[in-house]
Amino acid sequence: MDRARIPIEELITSFKSTSTVEDIFDKLEVWNRNDSQQIPLEHSKEYTLRKLLLHSENPVKLKEKVQSIEKNKLANKFMELIQEIREDKKLTVFMEKRYKEYEKDTSCSEVVQYYKDEIEKRNEFQKQRQIKKEIKEKKIILKKSVSKQTPLWKNLRKYQALDYFNIPITCYNTTNPEEHDLVGDILSCLQGFHTKFINPNNLEIPLTFSINEPIDPQFKCIVPKILRLVSAYTIICRYSEENRQSHNGYVNQALACYISKFIRDYLNFIICLENQHKSGELSLQSLSFAAQAHVYKMEFVARIVSIITQEKKKGGQTLSVLHEEMTQCYIDESLKKLLAGMVEVSTIPFFQSLEKWIFKGQVFDPCDEFMIKCGNLILNDDTEKYWNRCYTVRNEYVPSYLEKFKEIILRTGKYLNALYHCNIPNKSNLIYTSTNNEKLVYSMWCSDSTNYLKTINNAYMFASSSLLNVLLIDYDLMNRLKSIKRYFLLEQGDFVVHLLDVCDEELKKPTDDIVYNRLESLLDICLRVNVGCVDQYKDDIKMELKKDPLSFQIFKILAIQTEKEKDYTNFQPSSNLLGIQSFCLGLTTQWPVSLIFNETVISNYQILFRLLLLCKNVERQLLKVWLCDKHLKKIPDSSAITYKKAFNLRQNMLLFVQNLEYYMFEEVIETQWQAFTSAIQYKVKNVDELLDEQQKFLNLCLKNCMVTNPDLMKSSRYLLELCTEFSDYILLSKSHLNHLKLDFEKSIQILENKFTAAMIDLLKCIRKMSRLDSGNIIYNFLYRMDFNGMYTEQINMDDTILYT
């Protein structure tokens, strides 16, 4: 028993049975006793079979199975084992569980086997593919080696050429030919074949021939005249066959196809001559006469294709050559008809690309020969660069008859392309469609039936008006412009007051010490109060802190493309600017609005904003000084006399700043704004005109606000700096004025002298400018500042007063 305990424990563990070793021993003892009692085999067999049949799902099949194995001695023991398993419920459950796991493992193995088979099939396929690839490469290598060793006929006649090809010539026929044989030789030569008596010296153009010496002299003088036809024919054949494919462009390919028809007509003419020759009716003299009737036409075509070939012209260049020939051809009607056919056929592929451009805004240029070039730029934040450089005109490929209209053609496609990138629900209406199914057809004089210029103009008007309407209506351009004026040009007075009051502490700090997010939050508050709360485009306004001062930003723009440009390229941004000096507004826009408010336009608006904000801040500081002066007027008269000059200087400075603001706001900006908006409503017809009008408005504002003139800008900026210096001095020293009267009077006197000298210098510059340009409105500022003749005497002095 002890010896059997260990194997039985291992079996119980392996089968995960809940039985114990003692249970197994008990069952074994029961089996031994039953064996000792010698139960009849038949009784045991029938008893076991009855029990199995009771629990079987298919008793008949089971009984047949038992009868088939009853001869086996182990059948009874096998049935008893099945019965024991059936009565042991735990073992039955365990075996059913194991059977399900076995089925699952079997199915998984089938899937694995399936994938293994698929992988083997794939590997076999790749192997076969690699073998085929190696065989193909070997064939290519073998083919190349064979072609090098034994050239094919294509190497001799690349295009199955109709003209002469390179073959070795052994010798000439030295016999004196008769006229009939010589005419046959010439007819073969006219078709590009080597002959007995006439052969080309080389295959270079122009083609020259060697004539056999034994030819009769009376024939020898006639043959060269006929051979002119052969030389022209060779030039035409080579052009036709070399340009039959599209590697030289679709225009040259179309011309080559038309010339092939011309060659076919020429060969038909030679066939007629051959028929006459066979019938014995063609003499050398009549052949010469017939050749002269065609030689001028052949040489005319040969000269045109020679120009195209030698100068490697294609696309619009080829069309320009044909058009120039068309304008100079007045004499022969047959030549005019031939040339008209050449121009008409060659223009078709070019006009097809042109139609796609002016009707859909798409560049179709597979052979790189169209007049419009796409720069492959991506529409991003640099809108100005995309608009100016994405599509450009290639002047070398513009046909001469479209030279005057190249800008209109360029703009038409650009407008349609811009419309395609707009966020518009129905873009099918953005394609130009004519009610008369207009097609671009070449005509030398542009008659009513084939007026391609009229079609181009109609497409241009459609594209320009469509984009302008989208901007004005769908994107509400006028209200956007009003929003720009409200904030950048300080039209909204409460915005300026709130901005300077709320942001005063931050704007007094150096630029590097400003908390950007805090100042941005304060600006957002200023934008959302009072009138700004109803502006739907206020969220497009953002804040910027410029690293360079206003004067540098202005002069950097003025110095572009001048000798002074180098002075600004290596400029290092200053870190000493205060917040009020670097603060500026920016604008965030999306396409196509960004097309109108591009980087250059926004820079001009920013210059005006910084200048106007500086004036408003100086005025605000001087008003603080005025409040301080009100406080000083309460002291006794004997002490107030000391500050009298300061009161007068403050008043003169305030008068200057307020007159300057009135002049810039009312006489410059408002006047030019009315002209600008009026032009948009009644004059502007396309986007480029709108951009031009806006740039004109900004240029006039910058010019009349004394920004673009360096002398005026320097003088006005210096006066504003003196005003700031004066107000800072008064506000900082107001608490201890009584203790520093002498220093105070001296400082005020110095500031007054500087201010007067600078004012006179500014007014002299204005007078000088107004003499050069009598229509300049800047003279109004001189009139307002010198309305009482205060500076007249000093302005009229010959010597120039310079400030220090």
Side-chain angles (χ1 to χ4, degrees), residues 666-677:
E666 298 298 329
E667 298 187 8
V668 177
I669 295 177
E670 189 60 33
T671 303
Q672 299 301 331
W673 178 263
Q674 294 300 326
F676 174 45
T677 54

Side-chain angles (χ1 to χ4, degrees), residues 7-55:
I8 292 174
E9 288 179 352
E10 292 178 356
L11 289 171
I12 292 172
T13 305
S14 300
F15 287 99
K16 299 180 181 180
S17 177
T18 57
S19 302
T20 62
V21 179
E22 286 72 14
D23 294 338
I24 300 300
F25 286 156
D26 293 342
K27 287 187 178 183
L28 290 174
E29 289 179 357
V30 172
W31 289 353
N32 289 330
R33 284 197 299 270
N34 291 337
D35 290 341
S36 62
Q37 293 175 2
Q38 297 180 353
I39 299 175
L41 184 61
E42 293 78 4
H43 175 74
S44 174
K45 181 178 178 181
E46 292 177 358
Y47 176 75
T48 305
L49 181 60
R50 281 199 305 269
K51 284 191 173 184
L52 290 175
L53 292 175
L54 289 174
H55 299 286

Side-chain angles (χ1 to χ4, degrees), residues 78-91:
F78 179 73
M79 293 174 61
E80 290 180 1
L81 177 60
I82 294 175
Q83 178 61 25
E84 290 292 333
I85 294 172
R86 182 69 187 83
E87 292 178 354
D88 190 346
K89 295 182 179 180
K90 292 182 180 181
L91 183 59

